[in-house]
């Protein structure tokens, strides 16, 4: 194999190791959970939160995009990966370069003209030179390393997009949870008011001698139980508000003024389409990230295989030397007659550590196979998440319809039970049971009303929507780049075009892309 590559030595050299191809993955033809309920047309606006027509939600998503610290950390990682790519490209040039200068003051013993032994002669040597060593990329070791770093760089961009999908989902679901808890607190408070009236009626009935004290005690017990649910709900509300503060990169005291203390639960849009499963491979950043990770590992396998072959290097020095010995002068340093040149090849052949290098190749091959399996697993999980979200959305809508009807019946039952109780046609147990059922139904209805938009948000995130909000914007805020520029000379890498993806998202990105400085 080595002889076959020799003619291409000074052109491009050989590239040992496999060339990456997108692994095969099992993708269903359609979502089984739809069953005609949701259309399979093109997905809705990728910035799906606008479909809820909730200005507060829109504002929260924007604030999270601008201030979330985890997202900013992921964006800075893109810069790190880009710098590592540039460093890998630098390995194509002479790997070792040095400018050297030396001065030597020597004393030697010589026989003097008067034949006095032990005469001392002093002279100085001065040298200045440039040396370089370049390992020729004969087997593609450095070019494979560039491919690996390029895939890591592109994967870091996909990781940023995946973080955006997760962030928009978390903000929306936390906001919906806040609105749901506010509604449940309102339901509990409304039932407290209603049960206070029931207690008043039971007390009046008891004072008039029409009922026993048991009715009063039962009414008081039910009232206390309902009142006890409010602190628990308020504690849960504070927890969600605090979680939202972290997502927005804010302190907890800033959330209530943003969200408010009461507003309707966001209503899911009527028109929801989910596309087809193969769209996941184009839309979901985590699927593309898994593909880039496999590509990077494939290239690392090539790097490991290249270590098995002889390494050919060219080393050379050029400089000037002068000495004041034998009547010469140190001032002759830069005369052409004082120049020195040395150049020559060297070859390193792995012999005694060949078994060690072979096992390193095996380890890299196993890692590559793991990355392939991981990609296939990510594709399957992506389909699972969509299927689960579709089922949750459809069933939550069914629950809302059923519970809405149940709530109307529960309210009517309470009215009728109270009328019968006042008329003496039934005891207070009937009222108590009706009030308990009403509270349970109304609380469940509020929860289900929150589950519908929550499931829809989960569905939008599973379809890969949300990262598109970053289009036209840099992955790192200007304030952070300014701080980094003060500490370190980043050259042109902080300029967006020098660390952005080399192709439009959704298109195939060439693994051999080597960006400019």
């Amino acid at each position: 194999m080595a002889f076959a590559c020799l003619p291409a030595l000074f052109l491009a050299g050989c590239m040992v190791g496999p060339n990456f191809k997108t692994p095969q993955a099992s993708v269903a033809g359609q979502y089984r959970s739809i069953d005609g309920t949701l259309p399979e047309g093109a997905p809705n606006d990728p910035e799906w939160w606008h479909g809820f027509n909730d200005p507060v939600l829109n504002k929260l998503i924007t604030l999270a995009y601008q201030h979330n610290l985890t997202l900013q950390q992921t964006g800075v990682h893109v810069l790190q990966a880009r710098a590592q790519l540039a460093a890998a490209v630098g390995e194509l040039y002479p790997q070792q370069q040095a400018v050297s200068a030396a001065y030597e003051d020597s004393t030697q013993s010589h026989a003097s003209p008067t034949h006095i032994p032990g005469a001392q002669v002093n002279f100085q040597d001065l040298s200045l030179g440039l040396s370089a060593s370049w390992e020729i990329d004969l087997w593609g070791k450095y070019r494979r390393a560039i491919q690996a770093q390029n895939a890591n760089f592109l994967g870091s961009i996909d990781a940023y997009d995946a973080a955006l999908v997760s962030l928009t989902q978390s903000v929306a679901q936390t906001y919906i949870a806040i609105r749901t808890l506010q509604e449940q607190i309102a339901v509990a408070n409304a039932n407290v008011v209603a049960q206070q009236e029931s207690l008043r009626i039971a007390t009046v009935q008891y004072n008039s001698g029409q009922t026993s004290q048991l009715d009063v005690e039962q009414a008081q017990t039910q009232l206390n139980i309902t009142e006890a649910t409010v602190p628990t709900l308020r504690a849960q509300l504070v927890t969600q508000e605090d979680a939202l503060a972290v997502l927005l990169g804010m302190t907890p005291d800033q959330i209530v003024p943003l969200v408010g203390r009461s507003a309707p639960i966001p209503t899911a849009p009527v028109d929801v389409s989910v596309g087809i499963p193969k769209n996941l491979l184009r839309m979901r950043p985590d699927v593309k990230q898994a593909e880039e990770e496999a590509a990077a590992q494939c290239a690392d396998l090539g790097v490991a295989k290249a270590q098995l072959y002889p390494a050919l290097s060219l080393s050379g020095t050029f400089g000037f030397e002068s000495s004041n010995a034998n009547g010469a002068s140190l001032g002759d340093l830069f005369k052409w007659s004082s120049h020195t040149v040395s150049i020559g090849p060297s070859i390193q052949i792995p012999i005694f550590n060949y078994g060690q290098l072979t096992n390193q190749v095996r380890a890299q091959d196993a890692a590559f196979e793991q990355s392939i399996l991981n990609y296939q697993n990510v594709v399957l999980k992506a389909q699972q998440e969509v299927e689960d979200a579709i089922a949750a959305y459809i069933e939550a809508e069914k629950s809302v319809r059923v519970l809405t009807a149940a709530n109307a019946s529960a309210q009517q039952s309470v009215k009728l039970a109270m009328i019968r109780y006042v008329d003496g046609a039934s005891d207070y147990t009937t009222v108590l049971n009706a009030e308990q059922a009403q509270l349970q139904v109304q609380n469940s209805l509020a929860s289900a009303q929150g589950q519908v938009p929550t499931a829809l948000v989960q569905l939008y995130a599973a379809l890969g929507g949300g990262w598109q909000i970053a289009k036209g914007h840099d992955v790192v805020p200007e304030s952070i780049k300014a701080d980094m520029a003060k500490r370190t000379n980043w050259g042109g890498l902080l300029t967006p075009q020098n660390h952005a993806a080399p192709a439009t998202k959704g298109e195939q990105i060439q693994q051999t892309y080597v960006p400019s400085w």
Side-chain angles (χ1 to χ4, degrees):
M1 180 176 178
F3 292 104
C5 289
L6 287 178
L9 175 59
F10 293 102
L11 294 177
C14 292
M15 293 271 283
V16 299
N19 292 320
F20 179 73
K21 295 181 179 178
T22 302
Q24 295 293 324
S26 300
V27 182
Q30 63 180 8
Y31 300 115
R32 70 180 182 88
S33 301
I34 293 178
D35 193 24
T37 306
L38 298 178
E40 291 187 351
N44 294 90
D45 182 1
E47 296 185 13
W48 42 262
W49 48 92
H50 295 294
F52 290 97
N53 294 316
D54 190 318
V56 176
L57 176 58
N58 295 342
K59 183 177 182 179
L60 294 177
I61 294 289
T62 300
L63 289 173
Y65 170 61
Q66 294 172 344
H67 301 290
N68 181 264
L69 297 179
T70 301
L71 181 66
Q72 292 176 3
Q73 181 181 356
T74 308
V76 173
H77 181 66
V78 174
L79 295 179
Q80 178 185 0
R82 179 61 180 84
Q84 291 170 337
L85 172 58
V89 174
E91 292 293 330
L92 292 176
Y93 300 91
Q95 291 85 19
Q96 297 181 3
Q97 309 160 37
V99 175
S100 60
Y103 170 78
E104 182 178 358
D105 189 347
S106 303
T107 301
Q108 295 184 358
S109 298
H110 292 283
S112 67
T114 58
H115 303 287
I116 300 175
Q120 301 294 314
V121 178
N122 291 351
F123 62 92
Q124 291 81 38
D125 291 319
L126 187 61
S127 64
L128 179 66
L130 172 67
S131 62
S133 178
W134 177 36
E135 180 183 340
I136 300 173
D137 196 22
L138 185 61
W139 313 109
K141 177 172 64 176
Y142 296 118
R143 282 168 288 149
R144 289 295 191 194
I146 291 173
Q147 287 183 342
Q149 290 299 336
N150 184 57
N152 287 333
F153 165 60
L154 298 177
S156 71
I157 297 175
D158 292 326
Y160 178 83
D161 292 342
L164 256 179
V165 172
S166 177
L167 176 61
T168 54
Q169 176 186 9
S170 297
V171 171
Q173 290 185 334
T174 304
Y175 173 69
I176 293 169
I178 289 174
R179 292 299 188 220
T180 302
L181 286 166
Q182 288 176 341
E183 178 64 22
Q184 289 177 312
I185 291 172
V187 166
N189 286 332
N191 277 270
V192 166
V193 172
Q195 290 170 17
Q196 287 174 340
E197 177 63 15
S198 298
L199 174 60
R200 187 192 67 80
I201 294 174
T203 303
V204 170
Q205 294 287 90
Y206 168 68
N207 290 336
S208 64
Q210 299 182 31
T211 60
S212 68
Q213 188 178 356
L214 176 62
D215 293 354
V216 176
E217 297 300 333
Q218 286 180 324
Q220 184 66 58
T221 300
Q222 180 59 37
L223 174 60
N224 291 341
I225 291 174
T226 304
E227 288 176 333
T229 64
V230 176
T232 301
L233 292 172
R234 291 193 183 280
Q236 294 174 5
L237 177 60
V238 170
T239 299
Q240 293 298 330
E241 290 172 344
D242 292 344
L244 183 61
V246 174
L247 293 172
L248 270 57
M250 297 180 175
T251 55
D253 60 295
Q254 297 175 285
I255 296 304
V256 173
L258 277 174
V259 175
R261 298 191 179 277
S262 179
I265 299 173
T267 304
V270 177
D271 182 21
V272 177
S273 56
V274 298
I276 54 179
K278 68 180 181 180
N279 286 338
L280 290 178
L281 307 185
R282 178 174 54 86
M283 292 292 294
R284 282 187 58 133
D286 61 332
V287 173
K288 290 180 286 184
Q289 181 185 359
E291 181 181 355
E292 296 296 350
E293 289 173 351
Q297 193 58 55
C298 178
D300 285 337
L301 175 58
V303 173
K305 286 191 173 184
Q307 302 284 359
L308 296 172
Y309 296 86
L312 178 63
S313 299
L314 295 177
S315 300
T317 60
F318 175 82
F320 296 89
E321 294 183 359
S322 64
S323 174
N324 61 2
N326 300 319
S329 173
L330 291 177
D332 296 336
L333 178 65
F334 292 107
K335 289 184 177 181
W336 184 251
S337 58
S338 299
H339 80 278
T340 61
V341 178
S342 66
I343 187 171
S346 64
I347 188 169
Q348 293 180 331
I349 302 176
I351 298 176
F352 298 108
N353 64 338
Y354 193 85
Q356 178 187 16
L357 295 176
T358 300
N359 281 311
Q360 289 176 356
V361 171
R362 293 165 180 163
Q364 290 293 338
D365 185 59
F368 177 44
E369 186 62 32
Q370 291 178 62
S371 67
I372 292 175
L373 295 172
N374 177 66
Y375 170 80
Q376 295 170 336
N377 197 41
V378 169
V379 172
L380 288 177
K381 285 185 176 179
Q383 297 175 85
Q384 175 198 353
E385 289 177 6
V386 175
E387 293 281 7
D388 292 348
I390 291 174
Y393 173 68
I394 293 174
E395 299 306 321
E397 280 198 320
K398 293 178 180 177
S399 295
V400 169
R401 290 194 293 269
V402 173
L403 288 170
T404 299
N407 181 44
S409 298
Q411 290 177 325
Q412 187 65 19
S413 296
V414 171
K415 292 179 181 179
L416 294 175
M418 184 57 68
I419 292 173
R420 289 177 57 83
Y421 172 69
V422 172
D423 291 343
S426 64
D427 59 16
Y428 193 78
T429 303
T430 305
V431 177
L432 184 66
N433 292 337
E435 288 180 338
Q436 290 174 340
Q438 176 178 269
L439 176 60
Q440 182 178 357
V441 168
Q442 290 181 343
N443 190 65
S444 298
L445 176 59
S447 178
Q449 288 172 333
Q451 288 173 1
V452 172
T454 297
L456 187 56
V457 169
Q458 180 184 348
L459 175 57
Y460 284 138
L463 292 171
W467 60 263
Q468 295 85 347
I469 191 178
K471 281 187 175 181
H473 302 283
D474 197 0
V475 294
V476 180
E478 292 297 327
S479 59
I480 292 180
K481 291 194 294 183
D483 290 339
M484 297 176 69
K486 291 178 183 178
R487 292 193 304 264
T488 305
N489 178 17
W490 277 83
L493 291 187
L494 294 180
T495 305
Q497 59 264 30
N498 287 335
H499 58 257
T504 303
K505 285 293 183 180
E507 296 178 359
Q508 180 64 35
I509 298 176
Q510 297 298 323
Q511 300 300 325
T512 55
Y513 165 72
V514 179
S516 60
W517 265 259

